[in-house]
Every structure is written in C-alpha cells, then in structure tokens.
Amino acid sequence: MPTYRRNGFALLASILLPVLAAAQTPPASPSQAEGRYMVQFRQAGAADAAAIRAAGGTPVHQFPDLSVIAARLPAAALAALRANPNVVAIEEDPRRYPSAQTVPYGITMVQAREVGDTSAGNRKVCVIDSGYYMAHADLQGANVTASPNSGTGDPYVDRCGHGTHVAGTIAALNNSEGVVGVVGNGALQLHIVKVFGDSCSWTYSSDLIAAATACEGANANVINMSLGGGVRSRFEEQKFDALYRAGVLSVAAAGNGGNTQHHYPASYSSVISVAAIDSGKNHASFSQRTSQVELAAPGVGVLSTVPWVGASVTVDGATYLAAGIEGAAQTAGTTGPLVDGGLCTSSGRWSGAVVLCERGSISFSEKVQNVQAGGGAAAVIYNNVSGGFAGTLGSGNSSAIPAISVSREDGLILLGSTGTSATVVNSTAEGSGYEAWDGTSMATPHVAAVAALIWSHNPGWTNAMIREALQNTAEDLGPAGRDTSFGFGLIRAKAALDYLSGSTPPPPPPSDPIALQGRGYKVKGVQKVDLSWTGSSAADIDVRRNGASLTTVPNTGSHTDTIGKGGGSYTYQVCEAGTTVCSNTVTITF
Ligand SMILES: [Ca+2]
Ligand SMILES: [Ca+2]
C-alpha cells in the first residue's frame, strides 16, 4: 500500500504591490520669478559679466572657453539680454539630479545600517529559493556560487522572481540606484540552491533536504528558507537538527496562512521561525501565529529586486516606481508631455500626452479608455488615498496604451511637473526592476542576513550564541514577552552586536562527534527503540541506557534495544568502546 504523501512547499509571498515607494523626490521648485540660464556671448570678456549685471542678473559661473556665463536672471533681464547683439544664445539651465537609491524601511528598521559590514565576506548565506537573477544591476556578481541545475533550470535565471526578491533584501548593492540590502557591500558570500522552477509553485520535502545538504556542502553558515508547508517530516527535522549541531543557523518563514498552524521547516526547534510585521511594527494579518514564532521582521510592502523591468514613470530625471495596471499594454518607454486629466471621467485633447488621472468615480478601465479616446499616449493613475495600489482593467479587458498606477504622494509631485516630458515604462521583459511584496518570505531574509552580518564580526561565535543574542535583544512587540505573533519581537542588528561584543568565543564544543538518533515503538506491547548513529569509525560501540552500559556491539551504525512490556522514559547515549568519546543523548518516552 503506497504511503507517499505529497509534502508540498509553497513560496510564501503574495505577489501584490500595495505599497510603492518613490525612488526619488525632486527638489522643490525655485521661485519662478527668477530663473537660471546660460548665456553665450560673441566673445569672452569681462564686459559679459557686466552686461549681465547691467540687465539685472547675477552671474553664477563663467566659462571663458565656452564664452558662456551662467546666471540668475529675472524675466526683465532675460528680455534685455535677448535683445543684446553680443549675445549668441540663451539656454535655460536644466536641472540635474543625483542618481538615487531608496533605502527600504525594513533595512533601517532592523538596524542593518548601524552595523559595520567590512568583514561580511567571512560569512556565507545559502538561499534556497527560485534562483538568482545574476544580471540584475543591483545584485552582486562576485562572491556568488550556486548548486548545479538539478531539474529546476539555471540557478542564475529566476523567472519567478521570488528568489531574486529575497536575495535583494539580503544583499542588494549599496550604490547609486535601486535599493540596498542588509549587507550592501557585495562581500557577503551567497550560495544559491534553486528548488523552485519556472512554475514557481512547490517542491518536495526531500528536495528541501537535498537543498539543505547542498548548503552544508557549500559550507554555508546561514540558510534562508522563504518557504514552507503544513505537513511535518521526521526526516527533514532530523536534517535540520543535525545542521544545527554542525553549527549552521537555519531561518524560515512562519507562513502566510493567517492562522495558528505550524509551518515547516520554520516550526522545527532547530530552525528560527520568522513572522512578518509592517512599517508601523504591526503584526501582518497573514503571518501565522504559533508557539514556534521566534523573531519578527519587516514583511509588508518590502521593496526589493525583481528580474523584470516593471513599471515606472520618469519626469525631470526622477523615476517613480509604479505598478502596471493589469491588462494594459506593455511599453519599454512611452514619452509625451505630462498633462493633468483630473478624474479622467471624460476625454480631453490629449494627443501624444502622458495623462495623469486621479483614482475615483469610474473604473480604471473607463479612465484608460477615455485617455485613449483623447489621443493620450499613456495613463498614470494616482491613488486617492495615501500609498500605492494594484489596479486591473478587469477580466478580459485590455488597452492599446500603457497604464500604470502610482501612490497619491507621487501623483501630487507629478501634478507639479505638468507640461514637462514624462516617460512611462510598463514591461514584464527581463531586466533590473524593483517591486514591493508582502509575505513572511520577505521577513525571513532580514533575519538571515542580520544573523550573518553580526556573526561576521566574530566567526568564532556559534550559531547558538547568535540565536540567543537575536532573541535577547529583539524589540518586544505586542503582549509583554514572547508571544505567538511576534516571538521575542523585532530583530535588531545593532543591539544584538552590542550584546555579543565583549563575548569571547566559547571553548570548542564538547567532544560530541557522534550524532545519535532514536525512534521508539511497540510490538505487541513490547517497547523497542531503534538507535542509529553517525560520526564514529571505532570498531565497537558501547550502548548506554539511563547512564549505564547496556551492551557493546560492532559499529554497524545501528542497534535495536528491546525493553519489554510496560512504559517509561529512557535516555540513550552511545560511546566508542573504552573511551569517553560519546554521542548526544536521546530520550524516548513511551
Ligand atoms: Ca542599490
Ligand atoms: Ca511580545
């Protein structure tokens, strides 16, 4: 009779875009009464600056090689200089903006920016997920390894995006673009194991065991598992227990069911279970509440890297991240003058324009159709309440023009730029994009990366020391003390590092090279215990029960103890015969 049970593991992110951040906010406009211009004269000379001043302007820069003077000019001065026969040309001094990088709120909230990362290269985080989009402009190419393709496709291709989003939270680069991760210097070692293929759905528990074994083989210190399933596996638990004993810190998502059920591997004692909170440190309603929840981290509206271009609108050199309206046309870049369409409840004369529409009154589909009917090249719908939103044209609907949504905050900024050129992008093509996602999947990498970051300050610290420090320094949230929603609370990198600072590395762990496992069962009322062990090459093994030697057997790696009828609790240990080299203890209770 087959006893196979499909032990499915789902990715733990809802692919939603509820919170969208402005990549950049342009500086406030200067007074319109006076503008910055560059004035070119026929000949460079001291008389040029005098001419500017005589007209009522104020020189700012002089470029003799160009015969140009940059100056602040009131309208009257501008008119006077235009009439000056010595002036060749006048050009408005256009604005230039710094390339901007957004620091996602979660990175700040977990104190990642308060802890030095110069030694991050001595730690390795293994990411078991859907792959890693190696070509992303904001992700490191160095210090990354991957387990070979085992049927899920190239590990450096991620058509699902989940693994790339998780990796961005861990290690997006601290540069002039996009976002930044917990460790932004590109030094942290990453090992990628791709268990989710392009279908992005589920994998088997045994695939996860194999992946964890691959992490172990790659000498990972921390394993990130933004995944889980509701069915426990004894063998999987044994694997993570063994990894913990071997010094690996495993971190997994508590689950997105919004219920009180345990999710695995998060709910094994040897794995840290991570709950999700929002930017206000409130418990995310989807985040599962269990006795195993250990730490909380940001998991709502987490902005990170995705392997597709995505949606945005760029005006005056500033790019605002957006969300594509479902069903609308794709575009790699549609440019037109930005106009205010109000609520877009009717069509205007919008030929070639990028039309701003406020959300409300009519459906998104009707707004986009009105923009299209008015000749508009693209529609940008901004929210009528704070934050962003994910919109759709409705089932089966489409539009010939691209349409995207932005937050109310960004919409109001854009309203101040009407008349200038705007470029709308809405593309699922492969590329370096960013999206804000929800999920305990998004919370988990904050914890894995913070653990690696603080651990890098002293590789002599043990996984247990790191775990204890994270627990004892978490910011208590919700009911006082550990609770099922937040565990010990919000993870805090700086506090944990301070807690550990001054700690000296402990002596090497007690000689415990033999790993013992036991399983108890009854046959017609007779208690039996199957023992199995690894890690010893001795010829003979002494089996001990409740502290006393029971028998000495050849080292076959296993032994069955038959106790007789009845019940009780029995503690086992095995030692190399005639030595004090012993295993851990295992207690079996009937
Ligand atoms: Ca960046
Ligand atoms: Ca609490």
Side-chain angles (χ1 to χ4, degrees):
M1 186 174 62
T3 56
Y4 298 111
R5 188 163 45 175
R6 197 175 90 170
N7 198 355
F9 281 72
L11 294 156
L12 295 180
S14 53
I15 312 298
L16 296 173
L17 303 160
V19 177
L20 298 153
Q24 186 179 11
T25 302
S29 296
S31 161
Q32 295 301 310
E34 183 178 77
R36 278 277 294 257
Y37 295 88
M38 290 189 278
V39 184
Q40 189 169 44
F41 291 85
R42 289 198 191 285
Q43 264 187 320
D48 302 343
I52 299 254
R53 288 197 191 87
T58 309
V60 178
H61 300 288
Q62 297 194 35
F63 307 113
D65 52 330
L66 301 172
S67 300
V68 166
I69 294 183
R72 291 195 297 273
L73 301 178
L78 182 60
L81 287 166
R82 280 192 170 134
N84 185 330
N86 290 323
V87 170
V88 178
I90 301 178
E91 188 179 81
E92 193 175 337
D93 199 348
R95 296 179 201 172
R96 295 290 181 262
Y97 300 93
S99 297
Q101 172 180 267
T102 298
V103 178
Y105 80 88
I107 301 302
T108 308
M109 191 184 277
V110 302
Q111 302 182 335
R113 311 291 281 164
E114 299 172 45
V115 171
D117 60 7
T118 51
S119 4
N122 69 37
R123 296 292 88 182
K124 183 180 284 185
V125 177
C126 192
V127 182
I128 302 176
D129 214 295
S130 63
Y132 179 87
Y133 179 53
M134 179 65 98
H136 200 293
D138 216 6
L139 291 176
Q140 67 197 56
N143 306 316
V144 183
T145 55
S147 291
N149 176 359
S150 59
T152 50
D154 184 342
Y156 294 131
V157 171
D158 178 15
R159 300 201 192 288
C160 164
H162 191 272
T164 299
H165 199 279
V166 164
T169 294
I170 295 171
L173 294 169
N174 184 15
N175 49 19
S176 61
E177 62 184 302
V179 295
V180 63
V182 168
V183 180
N185 64 359
L188 184 68
Q189 299 178 69
L190 298 177
H191 185 77
I192 308 301
V193 186
K194 183 174 177 177
V195 293
F196 299 110
D198 294 352
S199 68
C200 211
S201 54
W202 56 271
T203 190
Y204 285 103
S205 172
S206 61
D207 294 330
L208 184 60
I209 295 172
T213 304
C215 294
E216 181 183 22
N219 296 315
N221 309 106
V222 178
I223 299 178
N224 188 97
M225 292 173 286
S226 292
L227 50 84
V231 180
R232 192 179 191 114
S233 158
R234 183 181 358 142
F235 307 122
E236 187 181 74
E237 180 170 23
Q238 288 172 3
K239 181 67 200 178
F240 285 108
D241 288 355
L243 282 171
Y244 194 70
R245 285 197 298 273
V248 176
L249 193 58
S250 300
V251 185
N256 291 348
N259 54 37
T260 57
Q261 290 168 7
H262 284 292
H263 231 51
Y264 303 95
S267 283
Y268 303 132
S269 294
S270 51
V271 177
I272 293 177
S273 175
V274 182
I277 57 176
D278 67 15
S279 60
K281 301 180 184 174
N282 305 298
H283 178 255
S285 58
F286 56 77
S287 184
Q288 284 171 228
R289 306 176 305 281
T290 78
S291 58
Q292 281 284 339
V293 168
E294 188 164 329
L295 292 166
V300 177
V302 174
L303 189 64
S304 188
T305 46
V306 292
W308 46 78
V309 173
S312 65
V313 55
T314 301
V315 178
D316 274 341
T319 297
Y320 303 85
L321 298 182
I325 302 276
E326 188 186 29
Q330 301 260 308
T331 176
T334 298
T335 299
L338 190 65
V339 303
D340 178 9
L343 284 163
C344 295
T345 48
S346 60
S347 294
R349 296 171 66 179
W350 294 327
S351 182
V354 171
V355 183
L356 269 171
C357 304
E358 186 176 12
R359 183 182 187 181
S361 296
I362 58 173
S363 73
F364 300 137
S365 180
E366 290 167 316
K367 287 178 193 287
V368 175
Q369 293 307 319
N370 287 340
V371 171
Q372 194 173 315
V380 178
I381 303 177
Y382 64 97
N383 210 346
N384 53 4
V385 294
S386 179
F389 66 97
T392 176
L393 296 180
S395 179
N397 290 342
S398 62
S399 66
I401 60 169
I404 61 174
S405 66
V406 298
S407 69
R408 176 155 194 86
E409 291 77 5
D410 288 352
L412 296 179
I413 294 171
L414 290 169
L415 278 176
S417 295
T418 52
T420 51
S421 175
T423 299
V424 168
V425 171
N426 181 29
S427 173
T428 56
E430 183 177 299
S432 300
Y434 304 87
E435 288 185 356
W437 288 12
D438 291 353
T440 50
S441 276
M442 282 61 250
T444 303
H446 286 94
V447 172
V450 163
L453 176 60
I454 62 170
W455 202 346
S456 73
H457 284 250
N458 187 341
W461 290 333
T462 66
N463 58 346
M465 291 172 70
I466 301 296
R467 189 175 187 179
E468 182 201 335
L470 295 176
Q471 292 178 352
N472 287 343
T473 59
E475 179 183 343
D476 190 13
L477 299 173
R482 184 175 187 171
D483 62 79
T484 58
S485 293
F486 303 97
F488 289 94
L490 167 64
I491 185 174
R492 293 191 291 189
K494 174 71 163 58
L497 184 60
D498 289 347
Y499 177 93
L500 285 161
S501 292
S503 301
T504 49
S511 181
D512 187 6
I514 310 175
L516 174 68
Q517 291 170 348
R519 182 175 74 97
Y521 55 99
K522 285 187 176 181
V523 177
K524 295 181 178 171
V526 176
Q527 307 165 87
K528 285 177 172 281
V529 176
D530 284 345
L531 299 169
S532 63
W533 59 87
T534 56
S536 174
S537 55
D540 295 308
I541 290 290
D542 187 23
V543 179
R544 298 179 180 184
R545 185 172 75 202
N546 296 338
S549 179
L550 197 63
T551 178
T552 299
V553 297
N555 185 5
T556 59
S558 64
H559 176 73
T560 297
D561 183 28
T562 302
I563 307 171
K565 292 198 176 186
S569 190
Y570 307 92
T571 297
Y572 291 90
Q573 190 177 36
V574 297
C575 302
E576 294 183 355
T579 76
T580 57
V581 178
C582 296
S583 73
N584 54 297
T585 60
V586 169
T587 299
I588 307 291
T589 302
F590 287 92

